[in-house]
Amino acid sequence: MAPGPFPAAAGEPPESFLAVAGELLAVPSTADRPDELRRALDLVIDFVGPGFTVERFESNGKPSALLYPGTARQRFRVILNAHLDVVPAPPHQFLPRREGTRLYARGAQDMKVSALVEAQVFRDLAGGLPYPIALQLVTDEEVGGRDGTRYQLEQGVTGDFVVIGEGSGLRIVTDSKGMLAVNLTAVGLNAHGAYPWLGDNALIKLHRSLDNLLTRYPVATEEIWRTTVNVAAIETPGAVRNQVPALAEACLDIRFPPEDADLNGRSVQEITAYLATFCEPGVTPVVDHVDVPHHADRDRPEVRMLQRATLDQGHQAELLRKHGAADGRFYYQRGIDAVIFGAGGDGQHGPEEYADLTTITPYYRALVRFLRGLEGIA
């Protein structure tokens, strides 16, 4: 179905748009369903329609695409980035339903509806702007983004400024935390539980190491912009009650902001050495992977222009920081500013996820005004 025109003023989007949104939301595009990832990707490409170059990519079975006017890829003034994959859900969550001004479905808020708005904006404006823009569609953000956004960047895709359409309630996210996946492995010596002096308790050494780390990074009891450590699991393989454990392991999820100089910009070796300073003898940190944080200059003209465009729609356009990781980190690594800016909703990854239909038209209009406003900015 061809998209209809968006209203010139505030109001719900056209039924033709919502029909395509419903079709997209019905696609169970999870990481374990490659055919459905391709179906979601093709649906949005078809929604944009003819007249643009469609450059396709694939890495580790994850398809993605880059759409742009003309025949030659170049450095884009703006890239509109959207992911079309979702986290798993029961079948009924892929049956979209409307209740008042809410559109319920898996992926409604995160982030298929915002993705479709970006596609509509690209369709309506890309061919007539005096500067090059692109629509970047990926299908692996929920599983790390390495085969979508990062892979395209490795293939030479680049730009000056990026708008990632993650749901943000028309607020602008300029910072996201990085993530460390770390295991602490403790090795001791088995002994009979009645004779602990004959052994070396790996679990106790592990707990002492965790206490050292959590003294430096206390468990947060309220929202705070600093490094946090989540102890996700502790295991003592083969443990029995009457035996001193010789092996113990803790699984950690560490989130850190760009300002944390001990972690940001450090190599795996440097981070491993830093974490080792908190560990008791016999306890070794093993860094599984590092995802860097993301930061965009809040004073750059594009951010200010996007704020003004959103204020013109009656929304406050607050500048926010996001505690979770996002694909913006891949741009940050390359010195390219990216922001998260999407429509409203709530319940992402949950059974009652929904998109707020009252925010879709303001989101569309804000993006249009932003892109047109950039014509006068060098």
Side-chain angles (χ1 to χ4, degrees), residues 193-211:
Y195 308 95
W197 55 88
L198 298 179
D200 183 15
N201 194 310
L203 187 57
I204 290 175
K205 294 196 292 188
L206 180 62
H207 274 284
R208 287 173 177 164
S209 301
L210 289 172
D211 285 342

Side-chain angles (χ1 to χ4, degrees), residues 54-215:
V54 179
E55 192 173 351
R56 291 181 180 267
F57 304 80
E58 185 161 328
S59 174
N60 292 317
K62 298 297 189 293
S64 65
L66 188 74
L67 286 68
Y68 49 86
T71 58
R73 189 207 303 169
Q74 53 192 301
R75 183 180 182 91
F76 300 105
R77 182 73 177 82
V78 176
I79 296 174
L80 301 176
N81 170 285
H83 74 83
L84 304 174
D85 58 313
V86 299
V87 298
H92 73 271
Q93 291 187 35
F94 293 100
L95 300 175
R97 74 181 193 275
R98 288 174 64 179
E99 295 184 8
T101 59
R102 294 180 175 184
L103 176 60
Y104 288 89
R106 168 61 80 241
Q109 195 240 359
D110 184 22
M111 60 159 280
K112 286 182 174 178
V113 173
S114 290
L116 205 61
V117 176
E118 288 193 322
Q120 174 89 51
V121 170
F122 177 84
R123 170 194 171 104
D124 292 348
L125 268 68
L129 293 171
Y131 55 83
I133 73 168
L135 176 65
Q136 185 175 55
L137 303 172
V138 301
T139 64
D140 75 322
E141 192 273 346
E142 297 291 2
V143 291
R146 295 169 182 80
D147 294 309
T149 296
R150 189 180 76 173
Y151 181 73
Q152 287 198 22
L153 290 171
E154 290 172 347
Q155 303 309 303
V157 175
T158 191
D160 297 330
F161 188 73
V162 183
V163 178
I164 300 173
E166 294 272 8
S168 70
L170 281 82
R171 296 169 294 181
I172 301 168
V173 180
T174 59
D175 296 81
S176 301
K177 285 183 178 178
M179 180 178 71
L180 287 173
V182 178
N183 289 333
L184 298 186
T185 301
V187 177
L189 179 65
N190 280 139
H192 194 291
Y195 308 95
W197 55 88
L198 298 179
D200 183 15
N201 194 310
L203 187 57
I204 290 175
K205 294 196 292 188
L206 180 62
H207 274 284
R208 287 173 177 164
S209 301
L210 289 172
D211 285 342
N212 294 336
L213 188 61
L214 292 173
T215 297

